[in-house]
Amino acid sequence: MAIVALALGGFGIGVTEFVTMGLLPNIAQDLLPAQYAADPSAANASAGYLVSAYALGVVIGAPTIAALAARWPRKRLLIALVAVFVVGNLLSAVLPSFGLVLAARFFSALPHGAYFGIASLVAASLMGPDKRARGVAFVLGGLTIANVVGVPFGTYLGQTFGWRSAYLLVAVIFALTLVAIVVAVPFRPGDPTATMRNELSAFTRLQVWLTLALGSIGFGGVFAVYTYVAPVVTDVTGLGEGFVPWVLVVFGIGMTIGNFVSGWLTDRSVKRSLIINIVGLGLSVLAFGLTAQTEVGLVVSVFFVGAFAGSCSPAIQTRLMDVSHNAQSIAAALNHSSLNIGNSLGAFLGGIVIAAGFGYLSPAFVGVGLAALGFVVLSISFAIDRRRRAQTR
């Protein structure tokens, strides 16, 4: 029940992070009406900055909160983080202007990485050392299931009753999460020996930086594609707006399957899992760019983009825990900082090529390049591991 409560928080995070993509044209039309009337593509690209703002909030909030609150009892910290989610999503739903909503999305994201980091540590401790990646995967499973159920439903709700209703739904989900954590999650102390200096020592380790770079660069390919999936469905594939939630369901099913397969595979070999994930991510994004003009190509490629997106997080999370040594709290949170740098980078670069007139499929080819760079980073990281093992023999 404790893990279910933690996964419910992941479910809420998944909805609030990803529902924006499906509602991007609706938000642009409402908050940027003059720009939308003159150039819908440019307005959609501008609305994509809401995705970047959320991602930057994760990047800043995750290490800051994790380092400052490492000594806090973990249940108390989880409750505080979920309370911020409730307030942030209520503000996203009611503030009147694009600039204010942009600020609310940034604020809503501050607890994102710290929540997943602390929840993953709690889940790993409940599951035991030989099943820690599966414990992480269970918590992240809430996020992936959100893409099967919550994001499509939130998108439908937003298209039907206005985009603000989607964020009200998220606020309700987090209120329920708050109650569930209070009732079901057992007491877990913080680390009484943790200091800001010890936690920040993670940043002195080259392998931590390389693992963060893998997530930041390689994972950017996912969001170069996913941020602009709604206009691809309507303007490129030529399907109606009502088909967008179903494409999101397909993405979510892929994420859910990829997440749990990755948890199993990562418990057996972290390195093998990382290689499979980054190569598969690049190939699936390439397939999207080449085939999304057709209905079958769109659905199949979106499924595989989702599958490899879901499989990346448990593997990168576990790798960070391995290479951070005694800075576990900040390392667990940094996973989501790195992935959301990728989120922000992909959305930003995708918006640039769309605004430049290259079309809604052009971000996919940006994503291929990002995945290729991620593979280079991973290769360097493994080469350093091999050299260090050789030196200790």
Side-chain angles (χ1 to χ4, degrees):
M1 291 304 297
I3 289 178
V4 170
L6 296 173
L8 181 60
F11 181 86
I13 292 173
V15 179
T16 195
E17 180 175 18
F18 294 117
V19 77
T20 304
M21 287 75 157
L23 295 173
L24 213 60
N26 308 79
I27 296 172
Q29 190 170 8
D30 183 38
L31 294 181
L32 301 168
Q35 187 180 19
Y36 192 88
D39 187 347
S41 294
N44 286 332
S46 296
Y49 293 134
L50 293 174
V51 177
S52 297
Y54 186 92
L56 290 174
V58 178
V59 172
I60 293 172
T64 304
I65 295 172
L68 290 174
R71 290 190 178 190
W72 281 33
R74 287 170 176 170
K75 180 173 180 176
R76 183 188 304 170
L77 178 56
L78 289 169
I79 291 169
L81 295 172
V82 173
V84 174
F85 277 125
V86 174
V87 174
N89 282 279
L90 285 174
L91 291 174
S92 298
V94 302
L95 290 174
S97 69
F98 181 78
L100 290 175
V101 173
L102 193 73
R105 298 310 296 150
F106 175 84
F107 176 75
S108 300
L110 291 174
H112 176 126
Y115 178 87
F116 272 126
I118 300 303
S120 294
L121 291 175
V122 172
S125 72
L126 292 171
M127 293 290 288
D130 59 333
K131 297 181 179 178
R132 59 190 181 131
R134 273 170 279 187
V136 172
F138 276 124
V139 174
L140 295 172
L143 184 149
T144 63
I145 292 170
N147 282 276
V148 181
V149 181
V151 174
F153 179 74
T155 301
Y156 168 78
L157 195 70
Q159 290 173 345
T160 306
F161 298 103
W163 62 269
R164 296 178 186 276
S165 62
Y167 293 120
L168 289 174
L169 170 67
V170 175
V172 171
I173 293 170
F174 281 121
L176 294 174
T177 301
L178 191 63
V179 174
I181 289 175
V182 169
V183 172
V185 174
F187 175 80
R188 284 291 187 274
D191 182 356
T193 66
T195 64
M196 175 76 77
R197 182 175 181 178
N198 283 344
E199 291 297 318
L200 293 179
S201 70
F203 291 108
T204 66
R205 304 183 190 281
L206 177 60
Q207 288 288 26
V208 168
W209 282 106
L210 290 172
T211 307
L212 293 175
L214 170 64
S216 301
I217 298 170
F219 200 71
V222 174
F223 283 91
V225 167
Y226 192 54
T227 300
Y228 304 100
V229 70
V232 168
V233 171
T234 55
D235 294 9
V236 177
T237 316
L239 301 171
E241 186 181 70
F243 201 79
V244 173
W246 294 107
V247 173
L248 300 181
V249 168
V250 171
F251 182 87
I253 292 172
M255 279 196 80
T256 302
I257 294 172
N259 175 68
F260 287 108
V261 170
S262 180
W264 175 84
L265 180 61
T266 302
D267 275 329
R268 281 150 181 79
S269 173
V270 176
K271 292 185 177 180
R272 187 182 304 124
S273 180
L274 287 168
I275 292 169
I276 292 171
N277 290 335
I278 195 65
V279 172
L281 187 60
L283 293 175
S284 61
V285 170
L286 176 62
F288 180 89
L290 296 175
T291 67
Q293 299 95 332
T294 67
E295 294 178 19
V296 173
L298 172 70
V299 171
V300 172
S301 62
V302 162
F303 171 83
F304 281 104
V305 172
F308 287 107
S311 67
C312 283
S313 193
I316 295 174
Q317 182 92 70
T318 306
R319 174 72 171 172
L320 276 170
M321 291 165 68
D322 287 342
V323 299
S324 64
H325 301 291
N326 63 340
Q328 291 284 295
S329 293
I330 198 168
L334 284 171
N335 180 35
H336 291 274
S337 287
S338 71
L339 297 181
N340 277 272
I341 290 174
N343 182 334
S344 180
L345 180 65
F348 177 72
L349 294 177
I352 287 177
V353 294
I354 290 172
F358 291 103
Y360 286 121
L361 288 181
S362 57
F365 300 100
V366 173
V368 173
L370 292 173
L373 287 174
F375 183 80
V376 171
V377 170
L378 186 62
S379 299
I380 294 171
S381 177
F382 290 169
I384 292 172
D385 276 348
R386 288 192 296 271
R387 178 182 297 177
R388 287 178 178 171
R389 284 197 302 270
Q391 289 172 347
T392 58
R393 288 174 183 171

